[in-house]
Amino acid sequence: MDEQRYLYEEIKLKAFDLGISKPVIPVYITENLKHNLWDWQVKALENFLVQEEIKEKEGSSEPTHLMFNMATGTGKTLLMSALILYYYQKGYSHFIFFVNQNNIVDKTENNFIDKTHIKYLFRQNVVINDKTVNIRK
């Protein structure tokens, strides 16, 4: 009988097999977020970065679909802002979010777009590769 593992365990095993070491979170992410990441967010982001490196080493062109199984109030939206920065640096500039309630869309828009909103998640000026990034709807 096969041993059941969590996805992060599978990622860790595959990374080991491919010689991928623990990633360092890029500075362009940490310097452009308004808040520091908590330990569990760092681990989730590291797992994501390892998975991205696995895809790159394997030459996979499969699209990435992301879902983070985290409790309410643990900072999934801040983690999403880190991923937006990651993908923006990779050349992506359009992002789609699917949610099941309109009020969540409104809150998320404010967190990502409205610099005057109390829960805005990016630094006042987002800079990647010495260029100021304008975040807009």
Side-chain angles (χ1 to χ4, degrees):
M1 181 156 89
D2 288 337
E3 180 183 337
Q4 294 229 343
R5 294 185 186 101
Y6 290 105
L7 180 58
Y8 71 89
E9 294 170 321
E10 293 289 337
I11 290 170
K12 196 178 285 190
L13 288 172
K14 194 169 228 182
F16 179 79
D17 289 344
L18 293 171
I20 298 170
S21 59
K22 183 177 177 180
V24 175
I25 296 174
V27 174
Y28 66 83
I29 291 177
T30 56
E31 287 185 350
N32 284 305
L33 293 177
K34 186 176 178 181
H35 307 287
N36 292 330
L37 296 170
W38 294 97
D39 292 340
W40 55 87
Q41 293 166 316
V42 168
K43 288 178 184 168
L45 187 53
E46 287 172 347
N47 285 330
F48 165 79
L49 293 170
V50 169
Q51 180 60 34
E52 287 294 295
E53 194 168 338
I54 289 170
K55 282 178 58 176
E56 190 176 304
K57 279 198 174 205
E58 292 181 336
S60 175
S61 60
E62 291 286 319
T64 301
H65 296 79
L66 302 173
M67 184 176 90
F68 292 88
N69 188 13
M70 298 166 67
T72 300
T74 58
K76 290 181 294 293
T77 311
L78 181 60
L79 187 58
M80 286 179 11
S81 61
L83 297 173
I84 288 171
L85 293 168
Y86 171 83
Y87 279 118
Y88 183 86
Q89 195 273 339
K90 293 281 186 193
Y92 294 85
S93 60
H94 296 91
F95 302 91
I96 300 174
F97 300 93
F98 295 96
V99 296
N100 64 348
Q101 295 177 355
N102 287 340
N103 67 328
I104 294 173
V105 172
D106 295 338
K107 286 181 188 179
T108 304
E109 280 183 13
N110 287 331
N111 293 346
F112 289 147
I113 297 167
D114 185 359
K115 288 183 179 188
T116 64
H117 192 268
I118 193 163
K119 291 191 174 184
Y120 183 68
L121 294 171
F122 298 107
R123 298 262 182 196
Q124 203 61 24
N125 294 311
V126 175
V127 178
I128 297 178
N129 297 331
D130 296 325
K131 289 184 180 179
T132 300
V133 177
N134 293 316
I135 300 172
R136 63 184 192 278
K137 185 174 175 180

